[in-house]
Amino acid sequence: MQQAVEIFEVGPRDGLQNEPAFISSADKIALTEALARAGLMRIECASFVSPKWVPQMADGAQVVKGVTPGTARLYALAPNMRGLQATLATPVGGVCVFIAATEGFSRANTNISLAGAVERVQEVIAAFKAEAPEGVRMRGYISCVTECPYDGPVAPSEVARLAELLHGAGCDEISLGDTIGTAYPEQVARMLEAVVQRVPAGLLAGHFHDTAGRALANIDASLDYGLRIFDASIAGLGGCPYAPGAKGNVDTQLVYDHLVARGYEIAGSPNRAVLESAARLARKILGRTEGPEDAI
Ligand code: HMG
Ligand code: MG
């Protein structure tokens, strides 16, 4: 048996944020609790972003406060100081800040230059360190780590620079996003070759959208560089409203089956059957059916 790998569940946030019809807080809470029951250790279930930008996430406070997480740790996104204050007013176990590796995506996703975004995020992390309750964790995302829908290919050195900056500012984990899901394993390897020179691999997570169907191959490339945390979304839900063409995050169950087949233990020992019922609930909430078991 190889070293344990953690699946960081992002379905209730990344998976749902792009859904056009509003999903009730009760459904978001039920989905998050189903994922917690399955044994996933960390679940990102809310965003404290502007509701004008992402209306689907407008009920973040109700969701985080409404979930009974059991042993799972809940995470939420905070884009600015206002988001941080709102996040810290809930019982989250982790706050996520996010930047992009490119100018074009930074402006599209957060209406600010990359330099401005870095400054804003540093301010948020500094306030977090001063104000967050003991034990609450800080995760940093970098989007478009290989390819940007606006600016094209991304230099690995730029991703490495930003990862080091987030780490230095106080992020205890940095998630590297193939936001549009088009990366090839060779590109992921080149990017990681640069990043692991600056940030220990154990603090990095792989966040692969699966648009081109290469997410599992990209996970394999990342395992070779020592990464042991992978973001995934139940039933493969997801996409980013500011990343044209971005399809769902890689499916949690696909990642689970792939890692188990490769001989890895999954941190928290999630229960495969309970994951399947969480996936059924996700599809039911979105009115999608797949296979006869969903008709039951
Ligand atoms: P802005 O328009 O430049 O900011 O947006 P603003 O300060 O002018 O605010 C606009 C309005 O939003 C104002 O309301 C603010 O009060 C309000 P008004 O005065 O017009 O009525 N506002 C807020 N409301 C609630 N909570 C807040 C907040 N801040 C401002 N925190 C801003 C700047 C960053 C706020 C905006 O661009 C934004 O919210 N962007 C977030 C976009 C987003 O959520 N994208 C998806 C998440 S990132 C992602 O999916 C990638 C990831 O999965 C990794 C990967 O795949 O690569 C993580
Ligand atoms: Mg994403």
Side-chain angles (χ1 to χ4, degrees):
M1 189 63 79
Q2 311 214 43
Q3 196 188 341
V5 175
E6 184 186 353
I7 298 175
F8 182 103
E9 174 63 44
V10 297
R13 193 282 302 174
D14 210 355
L16 298 184
Q17 70 183 7
N18 206 24
E19 284 298 319
F22 192 73
I23 297 157
S24 72
S25 308
D27 279 344
K28 289 171 182 151
I29 291 166
L31 179 61
T32 304
E33 290 181 345
L35 292 160
R37 273 197 305 280
L40 293 161
M41 296 166 71
R42 295 190 286 164
I43 305 169
E44 199 172 83
C45 65
S47 268
F48 291 86
V49 298
S50 167
K52 290 190 173 151
W53 284 65
V54 186
Q56 185 62 257
M57 293 283 108
D59 60 346
Q62 291 94 300
V63 173
V64 178
K65 288 179 183 166
V67 170
T68 303
T71 56
R73 182 182 282 265
L74 302 180
Y75 276 69
L77 261 56
N80 52 17
M81 291 296 279
R82 180 163 168 195
L84 177 72
Q85 299 310 336
T87 307
L88 291 180
T90 69
V92 286
V95 177
C96 308
V97 291
F98 51 102
I99 56 173
T102 63
E103 205 56 47
F105 195 78
S106 186
R107 290 187 187 276
N109 195 39
T110 50
N111 199 29
I112 199 165
S113 67
L114 176 49
V118 164
E119 213 172 290
R120 185 153 78 186
V121 154
Q122 283 173 319
E123 189 192 1
V124 170
I125 298 171
F128 169 87
K129 288 202 280 198
E131 295 169 33
E134 187 74 27
V136 178
R137 297 179 59 181
M138 169 56 76
R139 171 178 244 236
Y141 279 104
I142 305 174
S143 287
C144 301
V145 293
T146 55
E147 190 81 26
C148 172
Y150 307 102
D151 298 353
V154 175
S157 57
E158 180 62 352
V159 183
R161 177 185 79 83
L162 293 168
E164 185 175 38
L165 194 147
L166 288 179
H167 180 225
C171 291
D172 54 52
E173 181 172 287
I174 293 131
S175 177
L176 302 167
D178 173 19
T179 313
I180 53 173
T182 56
Y184 284 88
E186 296 75 15
Q187 286 175 297
V188 170
R190 275 197 296 280
M191 181 270 296
L192 289 175
E193 186 75 45
V195 176
V196 298
Q197 314 284 329
R198 310 272 199 102
V199 178
L203 303 185
L204 301 172
H207 180 103
F208 297 108
H209 287 256
D210 206 13
T211 317
R214 289 189 287 272
L216 293 179
N218 291 331
I219 287 176
D220 285 344
S222 310
L223 286 164
D224 290 344
Y225 278 87
L227 273 67
R228 292 295 179 270
I229 304 164
F230 295 101
D231 300 353
S233 174
I234 194 71
L237 306 175
C240 175
Y242 300 103
K247 287 228 182 78
N249 295 83
V250 64
D251 185 328
T252 302
Q253 293 171 97
L254 275 185
V255 177
Y256 177 98
D257 291 345
H258 182 73
L259 292 171
V260 168
R262 286 205 50 191
Y264 287 96
E265 188 187 328
I266 312 294
S269 302
N271 180 309
R272 183 65 174 75
V274 186
L275 273 183
E276 178 52 41
S277 58
R280 272 207 296 278
L281 176 62
R283 291 193 290 266
K284 185 169 163 223
I285 288 170
L286 296 181
R288 296 178 195 160
T289 53
E290 245 170 55
E293 72 279 14
D294 279 350
I296 298 167

mmCIF file of all heavy atoms in Angstrom, residues 253-272:
data_model
loop_
_atom_site.group_PDB
_atom_site.id
_atom_site.type_symbol
_atom_site.label_atom_id
_atom_site.label_comp_id
_atom_site.label_asym_id
_atom_site.label_seq_id
_atom_site.Cartn_x
_atom_site.Cartn_y
_atom_site.Cartn_z
ATOM 1 N N GLN A 253 -15.607 10.141 -7.518
ATOM 2 C CA GLN A 253 -15.574 8.662 -7.542
ATOM 3 C C GLN A 253 -14.548 8.120 -8.531
ATOM 4 O O GLN A 253 -13.917 7.097 -8.288
ATOM 5 C CB GLN A 253 -16.957 8.121 -7.878
ATOM 6 C CG GLN A 253 -17.939 8.414 -6.759
ATOM 7 C CD GLN A 253 -19.342 8.067 -7.186
ATOM 8 O OE1 GLN A 253 -19.833 7.003 -6.883
ATOM 9 N NE2 GLN A 253 -19.970 8.953 -7.920
ATOM 10 N N LEU A 254 -14.367 8.845 -9.653
ATOM 11 C CA LEU A 254 -13.325 8.430 -10.607
ATOM 12 C C LEU A 254 -11.952 8.510 -9.947
ATOM 13 O O LEU A 254 -11.125 7.619 -10.108
ATOM 14 C CB LEU A 254 -13.302 9.380 -11.815
ATOM 15 C CG LEU A 254 -14.245 9.151 -12.973
ATOM 16 C CD1 LEU A 254 -13.929 10.149 -14.085
ATOM 17 C CD2 LEU A 254 -14.090 7.731 -13.495
ATOM 18 N N VAL A 255 -11.734 9.595 -9.212
ATOM 19 C CA VAL A 255 -10.437 9.773 -8.546
ATOM 20 C C VAL A 255 -10.247 8.674 -7.501
ATOM 21 O O VAL A 255 -9.188 8.047 -7.414
ATOM 22 C CB VAL A 255 -10.335 11.177 -7.898
ATOM 23 C CG1 VAL A 255 -9.022 11.327 -7.151
ATOM 24 C CG2 VAL A 255 -10.465 12.256 -8.960
ATOM 25 N N TYR A 256 -11.303 8.435 -6.744
ATOM 26 C CA TYR A 256 -11.244 7.396 -5.710
ATOM 27 C C TYR A 256 -10.863 6.051 -6.349
ATOM 28 O O TYR A 256 -9.911 5.386 -5.927
ATOM 29 C CB TYR A 256 -12.611 7.300 -5.010
ATOM 30 C CG TYR A 256 -12.708 6.207 -3.972
ATOM 31 C CD1 TYR A 256 -12.546 6.490 -2.625
ATOM 32 C CD2 TYR A 256 -12.965 4.886 -4.347
ATOM 33 C CE1 TYR A 256 -12.626 5.476 -1.668
ATOM 34 C CE2 TYR A 256 -13.039 3.880 -3.408
ATOM 35 C CZ TYR A 256 -12.874 4.184 -2.072
ATOM 36 O OH TYR A 256 -12.950 3.184 -1.134
ATOM 37 N N ASP A 257 -11.612 5.649 -7.385
ATOM 38 C CA ASP A 257 -11.373 4.335 -8.010
ATOM 39 C C ASP A 257 -9.976 4.264 -8.617
ATOM 40 O O ASP A 257 -9.289 3.241 -8.513
ATOM 41 C CB ASP A 257 -12.420 4.067 -9.103
ATOM 42 C CG ASP A 257 -13.811 3.859 -8.511
ATOM 43 O OD1 ASP A 257 -13.921 3.631 -7.289
ATOM 44 O OD2 ASP A 257 -14.790 3.937 -9.280
ATOM 45 N N HIS A 258 -9.560 5.348 -9.224
ATOM 46 C CA HIS A 258 -8.246 5.381 -9.876
ATOM 47 C C HIS A 258 -7.127 5.227 -8.841
ATOM 48 O O HIS A 258 -6.200 4.440 -9.037
ATOM 49 C CB HIS A 258 -8.117 6.714 -10.626
ATOM 50 C CG HIS A 258 -6.845 6.856 -11.376
ATOM 51 N ND1 HIS A 258 -6.591 6.161 -12.537
ATOM 52 C CD2 HIS A 258 -5.729 7.593 -11.143
ATOM 53 C CE1 HIS A 258 -5.376 6.473 -12.980
ATOM 54 N NE2 HIS A 258 -4.829 7.341 -12.154
ATOM 55 N N LEU A 259 -7.246 5.966 -7.753
ATOM 56 C CA LEU A 259 -6.187 5.915 -6.730
ATOM 57 C C LEU A 259 -6.152 4.550 -6.052
ATOM 58 O O LEU A 259 -5.081 3.990 -5.808
ATOM 59 C CB LEU A 259 -6.395 7.028 -5.692
ATOM 60 C CG LEU A 259 -6.175 8.452 -6.216
ATOM 61 C CD1 LEU A 259 -6.625 9.475 -5.172
ATOM 62 C CD2 LEU A 259 -4.709 8.693 -6.593
ATOM 63 N N VAL A 260 -7.343 4.013 -5.774
ATOM 64 C CA VAL A 260 -7.396 2.690 -5.131
ATOM 65 C C VAL A 260 -6.783 1.641 -6.071
ATOM 66 O O VAL A 260 -5.983 0.804 -5.662
ATOM 67 C CB VAL A 260 -8.849 2.335 -4.728
ATOM 68 C CG1 VAL A 260 -8.966 0.864 -4.328
ATOM 69 C CG2 VAL A 260 -9.300 3.232 -3.570
ATOM 70 N N ALA A 261 -7.132 1.726 -7.357
ATOM 71 C CA ALA A 261 -6.578 0.766 -8.328
ATOM 72 C C ALA A 261 -5.053 0.882 -8.395
ATOM 73 O O ALA A 261 -4.363 -0.100 -8.652
ATOM 74 C CB ALA A 261 -7.184 1.011 -9.709
ATOM 75 N N ARG A 262 -4.554 2.094 -8.155
ATOM 76 C CA ARG A 262 -3.096 2.278 -8.182
ATOM 77 C C ARG A 262 -2.441 1.920 -6.842
ATOM 78 O O ARG A 262 -1.239 2.084 -6.675
ATOM 79 C CB ARG A 262 -2.752 3.725 -8.562
ATOM 80 C CG ARG A 262 -2.990 4.009 -10.044
ATOM 81 C CD ARG A 262 -2.144 5.146 -10.529
ATOM 82 N NE ARG A 262 -0.745 4.986 -10.150
ATOM 83 C CZ ARG A 262 0.189 5.928 -10.254
ATOM 84 N NH1 ARG A 262 -0.129 7.109 -10.735
ATOM 85 N NH2 ARG A 262 1.424 5.719 -9.876
ATOM 86 N N GLY A 263 -3.252 1.481 -5.871
ATOM 87 C CA GLY A 263 -2.683 0.985 -4.616
ATOM 88 C C GLY A 263 -2.556 2.037 -3.529
ATOM 89 O O GLY A 263 -1.907 1.798 -2.508
ATOM 90 N N TYR A 264 -3.182 3.188 -3.735
ATOM 91 C CA TYR A 264 -3.105 4.222 -2.693
ATOM 92 C C TYR A 264 -4.237 4.048 -1.680
ATOM 93 O O TYR A 264 -5.371 3.708 -2.050
ATOM 94 C CB TYR A 264 -3.226 5.625 -3.307
ATOM 95 C CG TYR A 264 -2.002 6.045 -4.062
ATOM 96 C CD1 TYR A 264 -1.925 5.887 -5.450
ATOM 97 C CD2 TYR A 264 -0.904 6.587 -3.405
ATOM 98 C CE1 TYR A 264 -0.793 6.263 -6.157
ATOM 99 C CE2 TYR A 264 0.236 6.964 -4.110
ATOM 100 C CZ TYR A 264 0.284 6.798 -5.483
ATOM 101 O OH TYR A 264 1.408 7.163 -6.176
ATOM 102 N N GLU A 265 -3.910 4.335 -0.440
ATOM 103 C CA GLU A 265 -4.932 4.442 0.603
ATOM 104 C C GLU A 265 -5.545 5.842 0.451
ATOM 105 O O GLU A 265 -4.839 6.787 0.096
ATOM 106 C CB GLU A 265 -4.212 4.323 1.941
ATOM 107 C CG GLU A 265 -5.099 4.217 3.153
ATOM 108 C CD GLU A 265 -4.267 4.288 4.422
ATOM 109 O OE1 GLU A 265 -3.103 3.824 4.395
ATOM 110 O OE2 GLU A 265 -4.773 4.842 5.404
ATOM 111 N N ILE A 266 -6.861 5.970 0.715
ATOM 112 C CA ILE A 266 -7.476 7.297 0.618
ATOM 113 C C ILE A 266 -7.653 7.829 2.043
ATOM 114 O O ILE A 266 -8.277 7.165 2.881
ATOM 115 C CB ILE A 266 -8.853 7.253 -0.090
ATOM 116 C CG1 ILE A 266 -8.789 6.438 -1.392
ATOM 117 C CG2 ILE A 266 -9.358 8.672 -0.349
ATOM 118 C CD1 ILE A 266 -7.943 6.997 -2.487
ATOM 119 N N ALA A 267 -7.123 9.006 2.299
ATOM 120 C CA ALA A 267 -7.184 9.585 3.642
ATOM 121 C C ALA A 267 -8.633 9.682 4.108
ATOM 122 O O ALA A 267 -9.515 10.101 3.346
ATOM 123 C CB ALA A 267 -6.535 10.965 3.628
ATOM 124 N N GLY A 268 -8.868 9.283 5.348
ATOM 125 C CA GLY A 268 -10.224 9.313 5.898
ATOM 126 C C GLY A 268 -11.035 8.076 5.544
ATOM 127 O O GLY A 268 -12.153 7.920 6.004
ATOM 128 N N SER A 269 -10.480 7.215 4.698
ATOM 129 C CA SER A 269 -11.157 5.989 4.246
ATOM 130 C C SER A 269 -12.616 6.229 3.861
ATOM 131 O O SER A 269 -13.536 5.649 4.461
ATOM 132 C CB SER A 269 -11.108 4.914 5.341
ATOM 133 O OG SER A 269 -9.778 4.645 5.670
ATOM 134 N N PRO A 270 -12.864 7.071 2.857
ATOM 135 C CA PRO A 270 -14.262 7.284 2.453
ATOM 136 C C PRO A 270 -14.930 5.969 2.055
ATOM 137 O O PRO A 270 -14.270 5.051 1.572
ATOM 138 C CB PRO A 270 -14.148 8.205 1.224
ATOM 139 C CG PRO A 270 -12.764 8.711 1.189
ATOM 140 C CD PRO A 270 -11.903 7.801 2.013
ATOM 141 N N ASN A 271 -16.230 5.920 2.305
ATOM 142 C CA ASN A 271 -17.014 4.729 1.985
ATOM 143 C C ASN A 271 -17.552 4.886 0.555
ATOM 144 O O ASN A 271 -18.316 5.804 0.265
ATOM 145 C CB ASN A 271 -18.160 4.624 3.010
ATOM 146 C CG ASN A 271 -19.021 3.418 2.761
ATOM 147 O OD1 ASN A 271 -19.486 3.184 1.645
ATOM 148 N ND2 ASN A 271 -19.236 2.644 3.820
ATOM 149 N N ARG A 272 -17.167 3.971 -0.325
ATOM 150 C CA ARG A 272 -17.503 4.076 -1.752
ATOM 151 C C ARG A 272 -19.016 4.074 -1.979
ATOM 152 O O ARG A 272 -19.536 4.801 -2.833
ATOM 153 C CB ARG A 272 -16.818 2.918 -2.493
ATOM 154 C CG ARG A 272 -16.995 2.913 -3.999
ATOM 155 C CD ARG A 272 -16.327 4.128 -4.630
ATOM 156 N NE ARG A 272 -16.350 4.078 -6.078
ATOM 157 C CZ ARG A 272 -17.415 4.317 -6.836
ATOM 158 N NH1 ARG A 272 -18.570 4.622 -6.285
ATOM 159 N NH2 ARG A 272 -17.326 4.262 -8.150
#
